Amino acid sequence: MDTRAMFTNLLAAEWMKISRRPMALLLLGIFLALTALQQTLWFLVVALQEGTFSSSNVTFTILSEAAIEQVKRQLSLPGVFGAMLSAINGTGGILAIILTAGFFGSDFNWGTLRVLLTRAPHRGIYLLAKLAALQLALLVAMVITIVVGTLLSLMFGSILGLSQQIDAIAFLLLPVGMLRALLVMLPYTLIAAASAIVGRSVIAGVGGGLIFLAFDVSAGSLNTIGAVDPLIRALVNLLLQPNINRLIVDNSQMFGLNQSVLTPALDLNLLPSSWQAIGLIVIYSAIFGYSAYRTLSRQDIGGAN
Amino acid sequence: MNVIETIELTKRYGKRVVVDQLSLTVGKGEVFGFLGPNGAGKTTTIAMLLGLVKPTKGRALVLGHDVQHEPSLALRRVGAMIEAPAFYPYLSGADNLRVLARAGGIATERVAQVLDIVELRDRARDKVATYSQGMKQRLAIAAALLPDPELIMLDEPTNGLDPAGTVEIRNLIRNLAAGGRTILLCSHLLHEVEQLCQRVAIMKEGKLIAAGDVAHLLRRGQGVRARVQGDPGPAVRLLKALNWVASVTVQGDTILIDAPVERTAEINKLLIKADIVVTEIGASNSSLEEFFLTVTRSDT
């Protein structure tokens, strides 16, 4: 059997496993609920500030005019695409780590890896197929989230009387945005996979992924001292978080949003260039992916634990 | 042709040697018993034969291919069940087999066939989480049968089964063997191994301590057993002095004499002549279990 056939067979097997996994459906459900809640809150903020529910024009000033304008854009087409992609790279990233850890770690916990590798003994191809199935699942989850978000924005937008403008370019840019969002999640999913493999369990995967995320976000706050000196800024921008932020900002801007309006602490001028961001994320991903491969290819596979 | 061949296969974890220079062969169509007490290194050996554990030294050849260098060729027609059955609890029995079939590039039509062989067709659509231990065990055997294997490795296939389930699995193994497949069977149920296997290998602390035809090994274990009144010490000393007695051991209140069965009457006469009261004497028909206990105890 050639390598391509092996990969295709394993991808089909891994897809069957992840697409029927209750944990995957549960995490998607949680994420959709959180996204719907977020959009409802945006809607309520705009409605209260503009007196939508009040017959006597009673209004509340919750946000500045510019911020309200931004929220309105997030509730309209095509801005909702950018808002959904941001949410995917925010809360969605944490859920993606949990999904990855569960997907990789449970094969160790249940002892099923041993059975699977007896049928398909090339561990590198197994790892590649599993990662491909995971990315495919994340892509499907992204499509569902964007559809749900768009439907909600159409509903809320019509109540608020917002104009919905959608053209072919926005639709063409959507796959670009989705791939960018997938790239943003890649290093986090890979570190979760590597941790699950090193620790041979789901808990090790969740732990490794979330600890790295927490460390990375904390280190990203060094961004503020980057303003002091260009050299410090260049060093800080070698961390993952500023590069992730750059791609999230790019995605938002692509759909007419300006992230710095709602997040004043985010200084767009201090962020690295888009090309640097893509390059660094690829390098981080390659390091984590190679660690996962190296560990898996050398380790002895035992039974359930 | 040898279906399995290990050449000085060794596995070390730090200073601990789990499998020590194991060299053995299993021929085509054989039902081979692989025995040893817990921790003897049987499962590690099977894991090395399946490419799951990397040997520290030596080689493992399966169906003529080196498992480390040509794993796909070596394992293409090998089915295995190692220790406890492992499945995805959220999938049905049939879907678990479909996952394995897809992973191995096996036609999914084969799933229905193997479910029929292990008589699980009726529960195939139920989730594995709802299966009894016996059903999981049968499903694991079905998984091992998926590639229509030439070689099947079964590690404790009757673990956790009730007597009826044990008989069922034993019959299944017998049917598989009758089909000309080679079977490597690890089991603590030595009566079962004695009934099913033509040849056995016995491991202890990573080393191969006995191997050969079951009938030959049992002949080796034949001898005379006697019971005497009071302290067996004088009887043991008397028997040990005879040049045609290979060994004398005491197990509980029984003296086991490694000597030709035809000389039972002579032994009796000698003991009586030495004023030793013999309460019972006769041939000891060694079972595989007795042989196993003798070799695994004596070799420490």
Side-chain angles (χ1 to χ4, degrees), chain B:
Chain B
M1 178 206 163
N2 287 328
V3 172
I4 294 176
E5 186 174 1
T6 67
I7 305 155
E8 296 192 350
L9 196 63
T10 305
K11 181 67 189 178
R12 269 193 211 103
Y13 290 106
K15 284 184 179 171
R16 198 163 58 96
V17 184
V18 180
V19 177
D20 193 3
Q21 299 188 62
L22 177 70
S23 293
L24 64 84
T25 56
V26 178
K28 192 173 166 62
E30 263 191 274
V31 182
F32 190 89
F34 197 38
L35 314 175
N38 287 338
K42 306 181 301 282
T43 302
T44 306
T45 303
I46 291 187
M48 284 194 278
L49 288 170
L50 292 168
L52 299 169
V53 168
K54 297 192 188 308
T56 311
K57 217 181 81 185
R59 292 175 74 197
L61 302 173
V62 172
L63 297 169
H65 299 281
D66 190 310
V67 178
Q68 285 305 304
H69 299 113
E70 303 170 301
S72 293
L73 289 172
L75 302 176
R76 196 176 42 188
R77 298 213 43 206
V78 175
M81 177 194 156
I82 322 167
E83 289 178 320
F87 293 106
Y88 302 100
Y90 59 90
L91 291 178
S92 69
D95 282 343
N96 265 286
L97 295 183
R98 276 187 202 110
V99 166
L100 293 174
R102 281 182 186 170
I106 299 162
T108 43
E109 290 75 43
R110 178 81 183 138
V111 169
Q113 291 170 11
V114 294
L115 283 168
D116 275 340
I117 295 172
V118 298
E119 295 173 11
L120 261 182
R121 196 89 185 253
D122 294 345
R123 295 288 307 272
R125 295 175 123 187
D126 295 344
K127 283 189 177 152
V128 165
T130 66
Y131 281 17
S132 67
Q133 181 63 25
M135 289 165 72
K136 284 181 189 165
Q137 215 86 356
R138 278 191 281 159
L139 189 64
I141 293 179
L145 293 175
L146 268 177
D148 191 16
E150 276 181 55
L151 167 66
I152 307 173
M153 301 188 205
L154 300 172
D155 188 5
E156 301 296 348
T158 53
N159 237 2
L161 294 185
D162 59 16
T166 305
V167 171
E168 224 174 88
I169 297 291
R170 191 194 300 150
N171 290 337
L172 184 61
I173 295 171
R174 203 168 270 151
N175 289 340
L176 294 172
R181 299 175 207 263
T182 308
I183 298 174
L184 179 76
L185 176 67
C186 277
S187 178
H188 282 122
L189 302 176
L190 299 174
H191 176 64
E192 190 175 283
V193 174
E194 193 176 332
Q195 285 188 351
L196 290 167
C197 300
Q198 294 109 36
R199 283 207 308 143
V200 294
I202 302 175
M203 284 186 79
K204 190 186 173 191
E205 291 165 3
K207 288 194 172 87
L208 185 69
I209 54 168
D213 288 348
V214 174
H216 175 76
L217 292 177
L218 294 186
R219 264 200 307 279
R220 245 175 71 185
Q222 265 185 347
V224 179
R225 64 163 72 216
R227 277 185 184 162
V228 295
Q229 210 170 55
D231 178 22
V236 171
R237 278 192 294 278
L238 174 78
L239 293 166
K240 273 186 173 171
L242 302 170
N243 58 9
W244 43 269
V245 171
S247 67
V248 182
T249 49
V250 179
Q251 258 180 30
D253 62 347
T254 305
I255 305 168
L256 298 171
I257 310 144
D258 188 358
V261 179
E262 310 83 69
R263 302 189 95 144
T264 307
E266 203 176 331
I267 292 170
N268 190 28
K269 210 170 155 184
L270 283 166
L271 290 171
I272 292 167
K273 209 173 163 184
D275 283 337
I276 295 165
V277 181
V278 180
T279 56
E280 195 183 317
I281 191 162
S284 72
N285 289 317
S286 177
S287 65
L288 186 61
E289 192 164 81
E290 281 167 325
F291 179 77
F292 175 84
L293 290 173
T294 307
V295 294
T296 52
R297 277 177 186 162
S298 65
D299 225 43
T300 36

Side-chain angles (χ1 to χ4, degrees), chain A residues 1 6 9-10 12-13 16-18 20-22 107 110-112 114-123 297-301 303, chain B residues 11 13 50-54 71-72 75-76 78-80 82-83 86-91 95 98-100 102-106 147:
Chain A
M1 202 190 299
M6 271 187 228
N9 291 335
L10 272 165
M16 190 170 171
K17 277 159 58 182
I18 198 166
R20 301 211 185 166
R21 202 180 162 95
D107 263 334
W110 292 328
T112 41
R114 187 146 88 163
V115 184
L116 205 64
L117 288 180
T118 308
R119 286 278 53 83
H122 280 283
R123 298 183 189 186
S297 60
R298 289 175 174 217
Q299 87 190 157
D300 290 336
I301 308 297
Chain B
K11 181 67 189 178
Y13 290 106
L50 292 168
L52 299 169
V53 168
K54 297 192 188 308
S72 293
L75 302 176
R76 196 176 42 188
V78 175
I82 322 167
E83 289 178 320
F87 293 106
Y88 302 100
Y90 59 90
L91 291 178
D95 282 343
R98 276 187 202 110
V99 166
L100 293 174
R102 281 182 186 170
I106 299 162

